Amino acid sequence: MTTFRVLLFARYAELLGSEWVEVLLPDDATATELIDALRQLPGGALLPASPFLVMNHTQVSATQRLDSAAELALLPPLAGG
Amino acid sequence: MTTFRVLLFARYAELLGSEWVEVLLPDDATATELIDALRQLPGGALLPASPFLVMNHTQVSATQRLDSAAELALLPPLAGG
Amino acid sequence: MSFLRIGPLLLAPLLEAVRSPERGAIATFSGLVRNHHAGSAVQSLSYSAYQPMAEAVFQTIVSEAEAAFPVRIALVHRLGEVPVGEAAVLVVVGSAHRGAAFDALRWVIDAVKGRVPIWKRERYVDGREVWVDPTAPGGIVPLKERL
Amino acid sequence: MSFLRIGPLLLAPLLEAVRSPERGAIATFSGLVRNHHAGSAVQSLSYSAYQPMAEAVFQTIVSEAEAAFPVRIALVHRLGEVPVGEAAVLVVVGSAHRGAAFDALRWVIDAVKGRVPIWKRERYVDGREVWVDPTAPGGIVPLKERL
């Protein structure tokens, strides 16, 4: 098992009450497993089933395996400009 | 017969050596008759056969009769902007 | 160079950045905070960003636009509180001719809106606060109730 | 208000003229004198106009654009000598949303180029002088030989 740290922004940071969270998952966890774990956290139930997850600034697909050394971030729908 | 005064601009003013010319034509002269007369003037041979003639700021067609009391102007191809 | 700025945005330095004697066309876009959104009177709004990724995506957008069009691009986006009437984003495009400048300008602002990790929180005159979310019904999501 | 100006053109007063709290998008176009035209190095150019008609046509273009698009327009065009790098024309469009602003901006600058009685004389670095004439082969016509 490995600790995965995930950065949170805007509404997702508000929902989970923090700008980052850490979850313990198998070393070869996928994006879907990470998101399922985040949705179990207090306040996480309002996260969408398939949020925009990025690893080192690049979008991650649902089945992709995660690298706990990479920078993971969960992005709400974008609203810049 | 009536005197028609025509304003000239840019290259046309250069060709005819003046910012306006006057020609004597029948009272009910058409645009074509005016332009033919202008092309007879010194330097007028280089005017096109159908230049852009405006009367009170509005384009005049070849067969339209002119009003010698109106403001007549011969416009080279536009190059603003 | 940073694309994200705290405080008012200025057009003049961006114009200077793309100006050169062989460029005959400069087109700009200023996105200003409007006084109404989603049927409510806006008091102010506040932008936040995933800053390192946002800076990288801005640079990617500029590079892609300068490869796709014969143009030079300069842009900045504001972070933090922005009052009504002030600029949230400025995009400036210089080109030899205006067609490419207009095409690139539209492309860049669409890319900024679609790809840069920036978020917007709106405060209305009636006191309500919302997250702007183009995917939500009505385009907004209320903030959680305060405890 | 006059659309034709002697001396350098300024963007700021045009931006102020179209700015209002319900307009979230301002798009601008600056047409600058380039250092090359028709294969020659440009030293400067000079604009002349049929002034009363030009002012009337500018007003017509603004009115037509404001009727056709939900926008507010401000524009100015320079007369007389313009050095390389300086602006010959500025068009500014304010709108609630950017799509209309971009559409109107392109429409207005095309209309200005196509309809306003303004003429351009170019002086090249090699000393030649020409009339710019989009209908002529090569886009220019030499000035008559001086006597």
Side-chain angles (χ1 to χ4, degrees):
Chain A
M1 303 289 276
T2 304
T3 297
F4 290 82
R5 171 187 279 234
V6 184
L7 304 179
L8 301 171
F9 296 93
R11 177 162 179 259
Y12 295 170
E14 186 205 14
L15 288 176
L16 279 77
S18 173
E19 294 187 342
W20 55 271
V21 291
E22 288 183 341
V23 289
L24 200 63
L25 291 170
D27 296 357
D28 63 350
T30 64
T32 297
E33 288 167 331
L34 173 67
I35 289 160
D36 288 347
L38 295 176
R39 283 161 55 93
Q40 304 305 316
L41 295 177
L46 286 173
L47 289 176
S50 303
F52 185 5
L53 179 69
V54 297
M55 184 161 68
N56 290 340
H57 305 170
T58 301
Q59 184 160 15
V60 173
S61 68
T63 57
Q64 195 171 330
R65 302 209 175 279
L66 303 177
D67 175 358
S68 65
E71 185 168 287
L72 295 163
L74 205 62
L75 310 187
L78 309 183
Chain B
M1 300 291 274
T2 305
T3 297
F4 290 82
R5 171 187 279 234
V6 184
L7 305 178
L8 302 171
F9 296 94
R11 177 161 179 259
Y12 295 170
E14 186 205 14
L15 288 176
L16 278 76
S18 174
E19 295 186 342
W20 54 272
V21 291
E22 288 182 341
V23 289
L24 199 63
L25 291 170
D27 296 357
D28 62 351
T30 63
T32 297
E33 288 167 330
L34 174 67
I35 289 161
D36 288 347
L38 296 175
R39 285 162 52 96
Q40 304 304 316
L41 296 176
L46 287 173
L47 289 176
S50 303
F52 185 5
L53 178 69
V54 297
M55 184 161 66
N56 290 340
H57 305 169
T58 301
Q59 185 159 13
V60 172
S61 68
T63 57
Q64 194 170 332
R65 301 207 177 280
L66 303 178
D67 175 0
S68 65
E71 185 168 289
L72 294 164
L74 205 62
L75 311 186
L78 308 182
Chain C
M1 201 207 72
S2 173
F3 296 96
L4 293 165
R5 303 292 171 82
I6 303 290
L9 303 180
L10 297 175
L11 205 50
L14 306 189
L15 291 168
E16 284 314 306
V18 307
R19 184 190 290 276
S20 87
E22 77 275 10
R23 297 196 186 104
I26 296 182
T28 78
F29 172 75
S30 306
L32 312 177
V33 176
R34 288 195 298 144
N35 62 355
H36 275 78
H37 181 241
S40 299
V42 174
Q43 171 134 328
S44 70
L45 52 75
S46 176
Y47 285 96
S48 59
Y50 177 14
Q51 293 198 33
M53 179 174 165
E55 295 286 359
V57 175
F58 276 125
Q59 184 56 61
T60 299
I61 289 170
V62 168
S63 299
E64 287 180 9
E66 290 181 347
F69 304 95
V71 299
R72 182 75 190 275
I73 312 273
L75 69 86
V76 288
H77 197 295
R78 191 157 168 185
L79 281 189
E81 193 93 356
V82 188
V84 166
E86 294 193 11
V89 61
L90 302 178
V91 182
V92 176
V93 180
S95 184
H97 300 287
R98 70 188 189 282
F102 291 144
D103 290 343
L105 181 61
R106 208 182 275 246
W107 188 92
V108 167
I109 188 64
D110 287 349
V112 166
K113 291 189 175 254
R115 294 165 55 183
V116 184
I118 294 178
W119 300 279
K120 180 158 51 174
R121 190 166 136 165
E122 285 184 337
R123 186 195 314 272
Y124 297 130
V125 169
D126 63 15
R128 286 177 306 126
E129 285 194 82
V130 303
W131 296 105
V132 175
D133 179 349
T135 70
I140 56 174
V141 179
L143 260 69
K144 284 196 309 188
E145 294 299 320
R146 302 300 180 183
L147 299 178
Chain D
M1 201 206 71
S2 173
F3 297 97
L4 294 165
R5 304 291 171 81
I6 304 288
L9 303 180
L10 297 174
L11 205 50
L14 305 189
L15 292 168
E16 284 314 306
V18 307
R19 185 190 288 277
S20 88
E22 76 276 9
R23 298 198 186 102
I26 296 182
T28 78
F29 172 74
S30 306
L32 312 178
V33 175
R34 289 194 298 145
N35 62 354
H36 275 79
H37 182 241
S40 299
V42 174
Q43 171 135 327
S44 70
L45 53 74
S46 176
Y47 286 96
S48 59
Y50 178 12
Q51 293 198 33
M53 178 174 165
E55 295 285 359
V57 175
F58 276 126
Q59 185 55 61
T60 300
I61 289 170
V62 168
S63 300
E64 287 181 9
E66 291 181 347
F69 305 95
V71 300
R72 182 75 190 277
I73 312 275
L75 68 86
V76 288
H77 196 295
R78 191 158 169 185
L79 280 190
E81 193 92 356
V82 188
V84 166
E86 294 194 10
V89 61
L90 302 178
V91 182
V92 177
V93 180
S95 185
H97 300 288
R98 70 188 188 282
F102 290 144
D103 290 343
L105 181 61
R106 208 182 275 246
W107 188 92
V108 168
I109 187 64
D110 287 348
V112 166
K113 290 187 175 256
R115 294 165 55 183
V116 184
I118 294 178
W119 300 280
K120 182 159 50 176
R121 189 166 136 166
E122 285 184 338
R123 185 195 314 273
Y124 297 130
V125 170
D126 62 15
R128 285 177 306 126
E129 285 192 82
V130 302
W131 296 106
V132 175
D133 179 349
T135 70
I140 56 174
V141 179
L143 260 69
K144 284 197 307 187
E145 293 300 321
R146 301 301 180 184
L147 298 178

